[in-house]
Amino acid sequence: FNKPDADIMKQSPRRIDDGIVDGWLFFRYLVIGFYVGIVTVSGFAWWFLYYSDGPRISWADLTSFDDCIEGTRSHSCGIFQDRHPSTISMSVLVTVEMFNALNAISENQSLFSLPPWTNLWLVGAIAVSLLL
């Protein structure tokens, strides 16, 4: 349902020995994967470090959770079994991927030159998914 890029017919065809994923596309995948990973892990850590209903432990306690022995810290080791941080990180991941779907509108053009509303089906699917 995406409109074709404006210059698609001006581009020469891909050579038969060229890979489907070239260096530029691979770099884009790496950058996107990096920021998606950082944001997802940040959502997980946010619950432990800053959330008002969370345990608000220190970074040192969070990064050494596998050494936690009950009674040796100011918090219970059971907090590391809580499912809230996993739920938050999964929600962040799904939300980021919903907006990342906008990258599929064009392989080479930015959202400024080919705006999201060129594919109303995609915008509608993202809106419905976020509302659910």
Side-chain angles (χ1 to χ4, degrees):
F1 300 118
N2 293 329
K3 292 182 179 181
D5 289 348
D7 63 345
I8 193 72
M9 295 307 289
K10 295 177 184 173
Q11 297 176 10
S12 60
R14 181 174 54 90
R15 291 191 333 244
I16 196 162
D17 59 339
D18 284 348
I20 294 173
V21 177
D22 61 358
W24 171 245
L25 190 58
F26 185 69
F27 176 75
R28 283 180 53 191
Y29 287 160
L30 285 177
V31 169
I32 291 168
F34 182 75
Y35 82 73
V36 168
I38 292 294
V39 170
T40 303
V41 171
S42 296
F44 188 86
W46 171 82
W47 186 84
F48 283 107
L49 301 174
Y50 304 111
Y51 182 54
S52 61
D53 290 339
R56 302 184 108 187
I57 61 176
S58 69
W59 176 254
D61 284 341
L62 179 59
T63 56
S64 63
F65 73 93
D66 54 341
D67 297 331
C68 188
I69 299 171
E70 197 65 51
T72 61
R73 299 193 180 178
S74 61
H75 55 78
S76 169
C77 294
I79 63 168
F80 298 116
Q81 304 302 320
D82 197 320
R83 302 308 302 165
H84 287 95
S86 296
T87 303
I88 289 171
S89 62
M90 186 59 140
S91 299
V92 167
L93 175 64
V94 168
T95 303
V96 168
E97 288 299 335
M98 286 292 158
F99 290 107
N100 194 29
L102 296 172
N103 283 332
I105 290 178
S106 174
E107 184 176 345
N108 296 318
Q109 294 181 346
S110 74
L111 288 174
F112 297 116
S113 61
L114 198 62
W117 52 85
T118 58
N119 186 341
L120 291 177
W121 287 103
L122 179 60
V123 173
I126 292 171
V128 168
S129 298
L130 291 175
L131 288 173
L132 292 176

